[in-house]
Amino acid sequence: DAGVIQSPRHEVTEMGQEVTLRCKPISGHNSLFWYRQTMMRGLELLIYFNNNVPIDDSGMPEDRFSAKMPNASFSTLKIQPSEPRDSAVYFCASSLGGVRLNSPLHFGNGTRLTVT
Amino acid sequence: RKEVEQDPGPFNVPEGATVAFNCTYSNSASQSFFWYRQDCRKEPKLLMSVYSSGNEDGRFTAQLNRASQYISLLIRDSKLSDSATYLCVVNHVTFGTGTKLQVIP
């Protein structure tokens, strides 16, 4: 059974460039979450979708960040333009039932982003 | 005050020891609680859910104290393989910053 699949695993880019992170949730899961992890701030929820609809994007840092979920099997997180402070590990996770049910999150391997 | 707070550690304990972590949360209306484990440079993975009456899974015991708004994780007979960062999660999506455990031979 395939888990949550993220790509790329590593991304190194220069300040000002556009970065697109991709995620394929577990088949049948109807909720998808994007997190950012840094040493200083830990795991921060950026946005989550339920049935492909964004439910809470209050964690998105600023307008440079955007996320889409065009269908149940694919989501993207885009940063444009990127800045050095965006350097972090970005995780995608999926679950059954969203935040209303007691269903755990299944994380992808993460994308390690470095912006120079 | 942060929504979820944990002692970052590290907790350095010898093999076979019993170790306990606490995690406090600020929202008294919180409904769901979990413990996740994260190994270095890996993704978090579910360790166990935390139920109101407390629950046990082998060497691991999780408890919830609603009056004092904290959850706890107890690990008995620590193994070297237990070395990791333990993250508490409240309301399904809000993570603490984690407590690092190092089990020493």
Side-chain angles (χ1 to χ4, degrees):
Chain A
D1 227 7
V4 175
I5 299 172
Q6 289 187 246
S7 65
R9 289 296 304 273
H10 302 273
E11 177 81 35
V12 181
T13 191
E14 291 184 347
M15 185 173 76
Q17 297 298 306
E18 176 180 302
V19 175
T20 299
L21 312 181
R22 298 173 176 80
C23 176
K24 177 179 167 56
I26 292 173
S27 178
H29 281 190
N30 61 350
S31 296
L32 183 141
F33 305 78
W34 282 102
Y35 282 87
R36 176 173 67 177
Q37 187 173 36
T38 60
M39 287 291 291
M40 292 296 294
R41 301 172 69 93
L43 267 167
E44 300 173 282
L45 177 65
L46 300 176
I47 185 171
Y48 80 88
F49 296 84
N50 203 39
N51 295 321
N52 313 340
V53 176
I55 302 300
D56 183 357
D57 65 354
S58 59
M60 295 285 261
E62 48 198 89
D63 292 345
R64 297 185 297 106
F65 285 67
S66 61
K68 294 182 180 179
M69 192 165 185
N71 56 61
S73 59
F74 184 66
S75 177
T76 59
L77 177 68
K78 185 178 292 187
I79 308 172
Q80 180 186 22
S82 58
E83 296 182 2
R85 61 191 167 126
D86 301 331
S87 299
V89 180
Y90 290 81
F91 286 106
C92 175
S94 70
S95 75
L96 278 170
V99 297
R100 293 183 182 179
L101 298 179
N102 215 24
S103 54
L105 300 174
H106 297 260
F107 283 82
N109 291 330
T111 295
R112 186 171 295 274
L113 173 65
T114 303
V115 183
T116 60
Chain B
R1 184 183 172 186
K2 289 183 181 177
E3 282 191 70
V4 180
E5 293 199 64
Q6 293 184 252
D7 181 342
F11 284 60
N12 297 313
V13 302
E15 263 187 296
T18 296
V19 62
F21 312 131
N22 281 347
C23 168
T24 59
Y25 59 94
S26 59
N27 183 354
S28 59
S30 299
Q31 292 296 317
S32 67
F33 306 90
F34 302 89
W35 283 102
Y36 280 71
R37 169 194 170 127
Q38 186 173 25
D39 293 288
C40 188
R41 301 180 79 85
K42 299 284 189 179
E43 74 275 19
K45 293 185 178 178
L46 178 69
L47 179 65
M48 58 196 302
S49 303
V50 184
Y51 301 121
S52 297
S53 55
N55 48 299
E56 193 173 300
D57 183 1
R59 297 182 293 108
F60 298 84
T61 301
Q63 292 194 313
L64 168 63
N65 185 317
R66 284 196 182 274
S68 300
Q69 293 182 206
Y70 73 86
I71 63 173
S72 64
L73 178 68
L74 182 80
I75 306 175
R76 289 182 299 278
D77 189 22
S78 300
K79 311 290 185 193
L80 295 177
S81 58
D82 294 334
S83 298
T85 296
Y86 291 83
L87 304 159
C88 67
V89 187
V90 174
N91 279 341
H92 196 71
V93 295
T94 303
F95 281 74
T97 51
T99 297
K100 186 171 182 178
L101 172 66
Q102 185 69 47
V103 181
I104 305 163

